[in-house]
Amino acid sequence: MNVWRLDAGAQTLAFAAEAGLPWVSYWGPRLPQDEDLDALAQAGALDLTGGMLDVLAPLSLCPEAGRSFSGQPGLVLADAGAPVFHFDRAEAKAGEIVFHARAGGLQLRHRIRAEATGVFTLQTTLDSDAPLRVIWLAAPVLPASQLADEMLDVSGKWSREFHLNRVAWTPGIRAREARTGRSGHEHPPYLILPERGCTNGAGAAYGLHYAWSGGHRMVAEELPDGRRQVQFGHATGAEAVGTSFASAELIAVYSGAGLNGVGQAFQHDLRDRVVCWPDARRPRPVHYNCWEAIYFKHNLSDLTAIADRAAALGAERFVLDDGWFGRRDDDTSSLGDWVMDRHKWPEGLHPLIAHVHGLGMSFGLWFEPEMVNPDSDLYRAHPDWRLGPADQVTGRHQMVLNMARPEVRAHLFAAISAILSEYPIDYIKWDHNRLLPVVDADQTLGVYALFDALRAAHPKVEIESCASGGGRIDAGILARTQRVWLSDSNDALERLRMQHDAALFLPSAITGSHVGPRHCHTSGRVLPMAFRAWVAAQRHMGFEMDPRELTEAEAEELTAVTAWYKANRAWMMAGTIHRLDASDPAMIAEMQIAADGSCFVVFAGQAEVSMQILPRPLRLTGLEPLARYRIRLRNVSDKPPQSRGPLALKTKSLVLTGATLMAAGINLPVAWPATMWVVEAERL
Ligand code: GLA
């Protein structure tokens, strides 16, 4: 038997192979260095009983129908039957193994890499001597723990992204497929497999993230014999004929420290490996985005007045949203015509940008490159550039350009590059508001190529991934962008929950969060400024209301919280978000801990009215038990008039050990819903 192991951070993957394809003989906490991998693989061999074949088909890196594997196979070919692969060789070097296998004219490769950030990345490629059609090619298949009762996946919709679903493991398949041509609001490509008893702060969990923006399929299967497997691959339905195929990378992490261990690894990996920062040392600037202030009604005098106020509140980057190009007075026309609308901008953007720069802010601009309105000069000139049939149903009055065509990409590159060259722009908000009419991996590869070309030509420009809010958030797009627009909902209560759940995957530094208009445009709610401001300050902060609507008191409040964000962002954005297991379900709480552990902040959001009269203690996590921390409540003035007890944190700071803070917790004042308690702490 051949055996191998890879270690990444706190986890180990071990493999074994005989004649057929290699299989994962172990995935879990890091094994002792001298573990006998041969014995480990042998110990994993299972018994047989009645009603079974005489050999248990291996759950290999690509389970094979040709070897009588009766579950979901890892490879499905359209016309070539079910090949039987033979292990060929493994190329192992520090931190990486590539397994090669053959079946006739087919070469299958599984590349598994231990990343410095503590995660594994896994990718499958298939090459063929003769053209063939691949229906399904899974990234290397991992066994799933049988000590789990449920899995945790993510669903959502426009304005309510990142909803965690707890789904029971049952015999058979749970399949989820994102078929809208983007990673999607509906089924973003994430899965967590918590073992029994796992909480945010303790227990074992396995996390998976498929790094692909074009739609994916996930299969979590419990076989009749009890074994479990998880497969991720591209969405089916776009099977081109070819000789070379590849899955995207699957990012995998084991945590022995609860869901937070998964979150910590994913946050760290996205921020420090996947995302390419034009200037990693530059603090994440406070944004102003004009969308919900003015929509398509652009004019210089309003926008300069807005810019004045945004800068006074503390904004550092001004983003001009949709409405500056073609004849874009509403969402029915002009996508594709990336030239200045001279009716709105007779002198182009120069006067606005000069004004914005004069206020000390940088300038960003909205594009939706992959899209075209039938009512546009581009579509009139090139109707054949659209993706899908002419008689398709439009979405938001728009169609999608066929990004697999080099001439389409060349045109878009030239048009966007011309704007980026004419104007000093340091940021693009890159939107994607229509579902694709067909599932097509080449579309995604074309989109990636356009991103890559623009980034190479304009390396200092940061890009935000927006797709009607959070419709395209995945490690594929994040390899090309630096921020995601989590949701079009600027409702701080909604955002509080979404940010909490998204923290299992996304770091603070890339997660945009804005203070929206007083009357929320997506929910109709009116929430206090203090709450709206603190929720935005939990992530990459920005504003998106017309600042002329703010009362003096609101402006003061927002300015103060923005100043707090600026004073703390350096360590927060480089630190880790830990979700707290609040004992009160009315509370959504997290900690952000500095990378060196020297300070932390607790954000405890009262999302609704509690069932019990007084707040329950909130246990902290992730601290050094023996260290002493000075904690103080930053915003005691947000307490309601009914709060009248002698609670210590209302009047003074406290010094307590990490052990006490984690075991006894902290007691906070009573709070009305839509209050965010902010507890700051330093290690003494
Ligand atoms: C989408 C985005 C919004 C905004 C509009 C502009 O809905 O999610 O933030 O940019 O498009 O049309």
Coordinates of all heavy atoms in Angstrom, one line a residue, residues 313 515 528-534 537 541 543 550-565 634-638 676:
L313 N -18.4 63.8 7.5 CA -18.8 62.6 8.4 C -17.6 61.7 8.5 O -17.6 60.9 9.5 CB -19.9 61.8 7.8 CG -21.3 62.5 7.7 CD1 -22.3 61.7 6.8 CD2 -21.9 62.7 9.1
V515 N -24.1 52.5 6.2 CA -25.2 53.1 6.9 C -26.2 53.7 5.8 O -25.8 54.5 5.1 CB -24.7 54.3 7.8 CG1 -25.9 55.0 8.5 CG2 -23.7 53.8 8.8
P528 N -32.4 53.4 14.9 CA -31.6 54.5 15.5 C -30.2 54.6 14.8 O -29.7 53.6 14.5 CB -31.4 54.1 17.0 CG -32.3 52.9 17.2 CD -32.7 52.3 15.9
M529 N -29.8 55.8 14.7 CA -28.5 56.0 14.0 C -27.3 55.3 14.8 O -26.4 54.7 14.1 CB -28.1 57.5 14.0 CG -26.8 57.8 13.5 SD -26.4 57.0 11.9 CE -27.2 58.1 10.7
A530 N -27.4 55.2 16.1 CA -26.3 54.6 16.8 C -26.2 53.1 16.4 O -25.1 52.6 16.1 CB -26.5 54.6 18.3
F531 N -27.3 52.5 16.3 CA -27.3 51.0 15.9 C -26.8 50.9 14.4 O -26.0 50.1 14.1 CB -28.7 50.5 16.1 CG -28.8 49.0 15.8 CD1 -28.1 48.1 16.5 CD2 -29.6 48.6 14.7 CE1 -28.2 46.7 16.3 CE2 -29.7 47.2 14.4 CZ -29.0 46.3 15.2
R532 N -27.4 51.7 13.6 CA -27.0 51.6 12.1 C -25.4 51.9 12.0 O -24.8 51.2 11.2 CB -27.7 52.7 11.3 CG -29.2 52.3 11.1 CD -30.1 53.6 11.0 NE -29.7 54.4 9.8 CZ -30.1 55.7 9.7 NH1 -30.7 56.3 10.7 NH2 -29.7 56.3 8.6
A533 N -24.9 52.8 12.7 CA -23.5 53.1 12.6 C -22.6 52.0 13.1 O -21.7 51.6 12.5 CB -23.2 54.4 13.4
W534 N -23.0 51.4 14.3 CA -22.2 50.4 14.9 C -22.2 49.1 14.0 O -21.2 48.4 13.9 CB -22.6 50.1 16.3 CG -22.1 51.1 17.3 CD1 -22.9 51.9 18.1 CD2 -20.8 51.4 17.6 NE1 -22.1 52.7 18.9 CE2 -20.8 52.4 18.6 CE3 -19.5 51.0 17.1 CZ2 -19.7 53.0 19.1 CZ3 -18.4 51.6 17.7 CH2 -18.4 52.6 18.7
A537 N -19.9 49.7 11.3 CA -18.5 49.7 11.8 C -17.9 48.3 12.2 O -16.7 48.1 12.4 CB -18.4 50.6 13.1
M541 N -16.5 49.7 6.6 CA -17.6 50.7 6.8 C -17.8 51.7 5.7 O -16.9 52.0 4.9 CB -17.3 51.5 8.1 CG -18.3 52.4 8.5 SD -17.9 53.3 10.1 CE -19.4 54.0 10.5
F543 N -21.1 54.7 4.0 CA -22.4 55.4 4.1 C -23.1 55.3 2.8 O -22.5 55.4 1.7 CB -22.3 56.9 4.5 CG -21.2 57.2 5.5 CD1 -20.4 58.3 5.2 CD2 -21.0 56.5 6.6 CE1 -19.4 58.7 6.1 CE2 -20.1 56.8 7.5 CZ -19.2 57.9 7.3
L550 N -29.6 63.9 7.4 CA -29.2 63.7 8.8 C -29.5 64.9 9.6 O -29.2 66.0 9.3 CB -27.7 63.4 8.8 CG -27.3 62.1 8.1 CD1 -25.8 61.9 8.3 CD2 -28.0 60.9 8.5
T551 N -30.1 64.6 10.8 CA -30.2 65.7 11.8 C -28.8 65.9 12.4 O -27.9 65.1 12.2 CB -31.1 65.3 13.0 OG1 -30.5 64.1 13.6 CG2 -32.5 64.9 12.5
E552 N -28.7 67.0 13.1 CA -27.3 67.3 13.7 C -26.9 66.2 14.6 O -25.7 65.8 14.6 CB -27.4 68.6 14.5 CG -26.3 69.6 14.2 CD -26.6 70.9 14.8 OE1 -27.2 71.8 14.1 OE2 -26.2 71.1 15.9
A553 N -27.9 65.7 15.4 CA -27.5 64.7 16.4 C -27.1 63.4 15.7 O -26.1 62.7 16.1 CB -28.7 64.4 17.3
E554 N -27.8 63.1 14.6 CA -27.4 61.9 13.8 C -26.0 62.0 13.2 O -25.2 61.1 13.2 CB -28.5 61.6 12.7 CG -29.8 61.0 13.2 CD -30.8 61.0 12.1 OE1 -30.8 61.8 11.1 OE2 -31.7 60.1 12.2
A555 N -25.8 63.2 12.7 CA -24.5 63.4 12.0 C -23.4 63.3 13.1 O -22.3 62.7 12.8 CB -24.5 64.8 11.3
E556 N -23.6 63.9 14.3 CA -22.6 63.8 15.3 C -22.3 62.3 15.7 O -21.2 61.9 15.9 CB -23.2 64.5 16.6 CG -22.3 65.6 17.1 CD -23.0 66.4 18.2 OE1 -23.3 65.8 19.3 OE2 -23.4 67.5 17.9
E557 N -23.4 61.6 15.9 CA -23.3 60.2 16.3 C -22.5 59.4 15.2 O -21.6 58.7 15.5 CB -24.7 59.6 16.3 CG -24.8 58.2 16.8 CD -25.2 58.1 18.3 OE1 -26.3 58.6 18.6 OE2 -24.4 57.6 19.0
L558 N -22.9 59.6 14.0 CA -22.2 58.9 12.9 C -20.7 59.3 12.8 O -19.9 58.4 12.6 CB -22.9 59.1 11.6 CG -22.4 58.4 10.3 CD1 -22.3 56.9 10.6 CD2 -23.3 58.7 9.1
T559 N -20.5 60.6 13.0 CA -19.1 61.0 12.9 C -18.3 60.4 14.0 O -17.1 59.9 13.8 CB -19.0 62.6 13.0 OG1 -19.9 63.1 12.1 CG2 -17.6 63.1 12.8
A560 N -18.9 60.3 15.2 CA -18.1 59.7 16.3 C -17.8 58.2 16.1 O -16.7 57.7 16.3 CB -18.9 59.9 17.6
V561 N -18.8 57.5 15.6 CA -18.6 56.0 15.4 C -17.6 55.8 14.2 O -16.7 54.9 14.3 CB -19.9 55.3 15.1 CG1 -19.7 53.8 14.7 CG2 -20.9 55.4 16.3
T562 N -17.7 56.7 13.2 CA -16.7 56.6 12.1 C -15.3 56.8 12.6 O -14.4 56.1 12.2 CB -17.1 57.6 11.0 OG1 -18.5 57.4 10.6 CG2 -16.2 57.4 9.8
A563 N -15.2 57.8 13.5 CA -13.8 58.1 14.0 C -13.4 56.8 14.8 O -12.2 56.5 14.8 CB -13.9 59.3 14.9
W564 N -14.3 56.2 15.5 CA -13.9 55.0 16.3 C -13.4 53.9 15.3 O -12.4 53.2 15.6 CB -15.1 54.5 17.1 CG -14.8 53.3 17.9 CD1 -14.4 53.3 19.2 CD2 -14.9 51.9 17.5 NE1 -14.2 52.0 19.6 CE2 -14.5 51.1 18.6 CE3 -15.2 51.3 16.3 CZ2 -14.4 49.7 18.5 CZ3 -15.2 49.9 16.2 CH2 -14.8 49.1 17.3
Y565 N -14.2 53.7 14.2 CA -13.8 52.7 13.2 C -12.4 53.0 12.7 O -11.6 52.1 12.6 CB -14.8 52.8 12.1 CG -14.3 52.0 10.8 CD1 -14.5 50.6 10.7 CD2 -13.7 52.7 9.8 CE1 -14.0 50.0 9.6 CE2 -13.3 52.0 8.6 CZ -13.4 50.7 8.6 OH -13.0 50.0 7.5
R634 N -18.3 51.0 25.8 CA -18.0 52.2 25.1 C -19.2 53.1 25.0 O -19.1 54.3 25.1 CB -17.6 51.7 23.6 CG -17.6 52.8 22.6 CD -16.2 53.4 22.6 NE -16.3 54.7 22.0 CZ -15.3 55.5 21.8 NH1 -14.1 55.2 22.2 NH2 -15.4 56.7 21.2
N635 N -20.4 52.6 24.9 CA -21.6 53.4 24.5 C -22.7 53.3 25.5 O -23.8 53.0 25.2 CB -22.1 53.0 23.1 CG -22.4 51.6 23.0 OD1 -21.9 50.7 23.7 ND2 -23.3 51.2 22.1
V636 N -22.4 53.5 26.8 CA -23.4 53.4 27.8 C -24.6 54.3 27.6 O -25.7 54.1 28.0 CB -22.7 53.6 29.2 CG1 -22.3 55.0 29.4 CG2 -23.6 53.1 30.3
S637 N -24.3 55.4 26.9 CA -25.4 56.4 26.7 C -26.5 55.8 25.8 O -27.6 56.4 25.6 CB -24.8 57.7 26.0 OG -24.2 57.3 24.8
D638 N -26.3 54.7 25.2 CA -27.4 54.1 24.3 C -28.4 53.3 25.2 O -29.3 52.6 24.6 CB -26.7 53.1 23.3 CG -26.0 53.9 22.2 OD1 -26.2 55.1 22.1 OD2 -25.2 53.3 21.4
M676 N -26.8 48.2 19.9 CA -25.5 47.5 19.8 C -24.6 47.8 20.9 O -24.1 49.0 21.0 CB -24.8 47.8 18.5 CG -23.5 47.1 18.3 SD -23.6 45.4 17.9 CE -23.6 45.6 16.1

